[in-house]
Amino acid sequence: MKLIFCITLVIISNVCSTRISKTTKPNIVFILIDDLGYNDVSYHGSEIKTPNIDELARDGVRLENYYVQPICTPTRSQLLSGRYQIHTGLQHSYIRPAQPLCLPTNLPTFADKLREAGYATHAIGKWHLGHYKKDCLPRQRGFDSFFGYLTGSEDYWTHHRPGDGILPNSNHWLGMDLWDNERVAWEYVGNYSVFVFTDKIQQIVNKHPEEQPLLLYLPFQSVHAPLQVPSSYEERYKNIKNMNRRIYAGMMSCLDEAIGKVVQTLKKRDLWDNTVLIFSTDNGGEVAAGGNNWPLRGWKRSLWEGGMRGVGFVTSPLLPDSVQGTVNKELIHVSDWFPTLVQGLAGSSLGNVTLDGFNMWKTISSNASSPRKELLHNIDPWPNQPKEFSSNISAAIRVGHWKLLTGDPGANNGEWIPVPDSGITAISPIKINGKDTWLFNITADPYEYHDLSTSHPEVVDELMDKLKKYYVDSVPVQYPEEVEEANPAFHDGLWGTPWQWKAE
Ligand SMILES: *[C@@H]1O[C@H](CO)[C@@H](O)[C@H](O)[C@H]1NC(C)=O
Ligand SMILES: *[C@@H]1O[C@H](CO)[C@@H](O)[C@H](O)[C@H]1NC(C)=O
């Protein structure tokens, strides 16, 4: 086992690489949780019980300086492509159900590269990387199979959703969105998505030929709004008075059980010993929908730490004993998974692909220092898109210990919100009108209490210069108007019959 690990780890070395055969490539299971807050797993001290997640985290390497993006599409776009949003045009917001927009189809995904490397590639869950034309869909983006939904959220039981209300009357555009490859999965109307997805995952694992390496990309619907869960899970949390928090806690328990089942199934098939499991949230918790990020500042949709500092860990019997059960404090970002999986785990070359991510496998498996010294959180100049960067543009960058925020960071004023009924009082910062620059030493002050922008103007200047350079290197924001053609009424009551749209 450890020998195989050595082989995958030091893949670059000729001694080892000559002994690689297809079957020694590790299976990769990537679990992406939707809207999981920093304070919503018990191993971070939450009142929500997540025994299966905790056990996996406890045996693995917990990433405690790990960043994602503040919302759904951005994190998924960077995970799949290894590119910052300034290089994909997806800097602004998320892909709306009726928007003719997707992750640029000229960019390879990590699934493309793993498929080239011989992996069977399966995606089960939420896509949210665009669906207006066939080239945008999962099976055109490196996945052998897809079971799930294409838009950003929907009802957990009916698998229907309305439009988002931006086009007139579109909040009445009700459409079904659950797909088994290109077929509508009508038979699951009325079945809770966690159970449906877990069944599908188990079927794939049970049928998988063991001589082929396996990629399971598992972007669960949980625990995004709407707050819905079978009542037996909610009943476990009778002690939680706040209704949103109580249902959310039940959703986490249901998800935790599902993750336990997936791991059990891999173990039963004898695939687990050769599996690397990565667990990540897609962004911070949504405080208005049950999530919590205490003691971090802000929440989902913001460039404060509560929006982006993610729950994440890597666990595997292939990890050396020396790192099993440890906490890793190296700077790691969601864009780093592409090269980490493709180079670090599958041992493939990146070829001509340009990336913003770094191969973190040595950092994770031997606690080597992170190759990442800098992290562009985002620059979103929508809608003005001026020629030059200035501090009224919403942006954030991390360089070493320092983090600079400019423009509107989101989440109102960036309050610190405790768990409801915890007896702790929310903290509101003093609002200064017109303020558009903040500087924090995140290592010393991870909760962003002490703005140092006036005491360290030289650091502000240095980071501002870096933002200016990144801005010059950006592609224009793509954020087209939604189109009437997307109305499910024109497509047999379905979202995502994309090849019928005439949006281009
Ligand atoms: C949907 O759920 C019902 C009730 O739990 C179950 O009997 C049925 O088998 C499920 N349908 C499918 C297709 O899994
Ligand atoms: C990169 O390599 C792939 C094949 O590996 C090729 O199809 C593609 O055209 C190349 N792209 C560029 C920009 O050279």
Side-chain angles (χ1 to χ4, degrees), residues 425-441:
T425 314
I427 304 169
S428 295
I430 298 158
K431 188 165 182 138
I432 303 166
N433 283 335
K435 181 168 174 60
D436 63 6
T437 305
W438 295 259
L439 179 73
F440 299 98
N441 180 327

Side-chain angles (χ1 to χ4, degrees), residues 215-467:
L215 165 68
L216 288 177
Y217 172 51
L218 309 179
F220 278 93
Q221 180 170 8
S222 315
V223 279
H224 196 291
L227 293 171
Q228 295 176 315
V229 73
S231 55
S232 59
Y233 293 94
E234 185 184 341
E235 279 159 19
R236 295 183 190 181
Y237 292 98
K238 283 197 182 109
N239 58 318
I240 299 181
K241 287 199 202 88
N242 180 280
M243 184 181 70
N244 283 355
R245 187 67 175 166
R246 186 171 65 242
I247 301 173
Y248 181 95
M251 291 165 78
M252 273 307 291
S253 281
C254 185
L255 172 72
D256 183 75
E257 236 175 61
I259 290 171
K261 280 186 192 157
V262 170
V263 173
Q264 277 312 317
T265 309
L266 287 159
K267 285 183 176 164
K268 273 199 196 125
R269 276 294 322 277
D270 273 341
L271 296 172
W272 178 251
D273 282 348
N274 190 36
T275 293
V276 174
L277 181 147
I278 298 152
F279 179 97
S280 174
T281 187
D282 72 335
N283 47 246
E286 177 75 295
V287 292
N292 190 265
N293 309 292
W294 182 267
L296 299 179
R297 183 173 187 175
W299 51 89
K300 178 182 178 180
R301 287 179 275 104
S302 80
L303 294 166
W304 304 110
E305 295 287 292
M308 307 188 296
R309 190 157 187 155
V311 175
F313 62 81
V314 179
T315 193
S316 171
L318 299 174
L319 285 168
D321 293 342
S322 58
V323 297
Q324 289 198 12
T326 60
V327 169
N328 184 305
K329 293 195 171 160
E330 295 296 318
L331 184 61
I332 298 178
H333 181 237
V334 67
S335 63
D336 298 328
W337 294 119
F338 186 126
T340 303
L341 305 187
V342 172
Q343 279 185 307
L345 287 175
S348 295
S349 114
L350 293 172
N352 59 11
V353 183
T354 309
L355 296 176
D356 295 306
F358 294 86
N359 178 357
M360 291 292 171
W361 191 242
K362 273 193 180 165
T363 302
I364 292 164
S365 61
S366 64
N367 208 17
S369 68
S370 172
R372 176 180 282 289
K373 307 297 172 205
E374 189 168 310
L375 168 52
L376 177 71
H377 290 301
N378 197 25
I379 303 175
D380 177 6
W382 187 261
N384 300 323
Q385 308 213 48
K387 269 214 159 66
E388 277 175 26
F389 183 81
S390 65
S391 61
N392 59 7
I393 294 177
S394 171
I397 187 171
R398 171 83 172 266
V399 179
H401 303 306
W402 296 106
K403 175 183 177 186
L404 181 77
L405 298 98
T406 62
D408 176 8
N412 297 326
N413 207 12
E415 286 82 3
W416 294 263
I417 308 286
V419 169
D421 305 315
S422 61
I424 304 171
T425 314
I427 304 169
S428 295
I430 298 158
K431 188 165 182 138
I432 303 166
N433 283 335
K435 181 168 174 60
D436 63 6
T437 305
W438 295 259
L439 179 73
F440 299 98
N441 180 327
I442 293 296
T443 313
D445 178 24
Y447 312 139
E448 299 171 297
Y449 284 118
H450 308 291
D451 173 24
L452 303 175
S453 60
T454 41
S455 60
H456 290 70
E458 73 295 347
V459 182
V460 171
D461 286 349
E462 189 194 323
L463 270 57
M464 202 70 91
D465 279 347
K466 284 185 185 279
L467 283 175

Side-chain angles (χ1 to χ4, degrees), residues 93-224:
S93 195
Y94 57 89
I95 297 176
R96 294 179 176 279
Q99 220 175 9
L101 180 63
C102 75
L103 179 67
T105 53
N106 62 325
L107 297 176
T109 67
F110 75 74
D112 284 316
K113 299 298 283 182
L114 291 178
R115 184 150 73 176
E116 271 171 41
Y119 278 72
T121 58
H122 303 282
I124 297 101
K126 160 167 154 177
W127 182 241
H128 211 187
L129 286 171
H131 54 274
Y132 79 99
K133 57 178 183 178
K134 197 162 189 174
D135 288 348
C136 302
L137 298 182
R139 298 230 295 161
Q140 275 62 41
R141 307 311 305 266
F143 291 100
D144 299 339
S145 80
F146 171 68
F147 185 96
Y149 58 111
L150 299 168
T151 60
S153 65
E154 61 181 12
D155 188 287
Y156 280 75
W157 274 290
T158 66
H159 316 295
H160 281 62
R161 65 160 295 146
D164 60 8
I166 292 181
L167 285 182
N169 293 320
S170 66
N171 49 351
H172 298 297
W173 298 2
L174 196 65
M176 164 80 170
D177 182 12
L178 191 69
W179 300 85
D180 184 352
N181 293 326
E182 286 77 33
R183 187 182 67 81
V184 190
W186 289 112
E187 66 275 28
Y188 294 106
V189 170
N191 289 58
Y192 191 66
S193 82
V194 177
F195 302 142
V196 177
F197 294 158
T198 306
D199 264 9
K200 288 289 158 190
I201 297 163
Q202 289 176 313
Q203 282 170 27
I204 287 171
V205 172
N206 286 331
K207 278 194 301 213
H208 178 71
E210 59 195 356
E211 65 280 3
Q212 192 183 14
L214 171 67
L215 165 68
L216 288 177
Y217 172 51
L218 309 179
F220 278 93
Q221 180 170 8
S222 315
V223 279
H224 196 291

Side-chain angles (χ1 to χ4, degrees), residues 1-22 24-25 343-347 362:
M1 188 91 57
K2 295 288 145 67
L3 176 65
I4 294 171
F5 176 76
C6 142
I7 292 169
T8 50
L9 173 65
V10 283
I11 214 91
I12 322 300
S13 119
N14 290 330
V15 183
C16 279
S17 62
T18 52
R19 285 145 76 186
I20 291 171
S21 71
K22 226 178 175 184
T24 64
K25 289 182 180 165
Q343 279 185 307
L345 287 175
K362 273 193 180 165

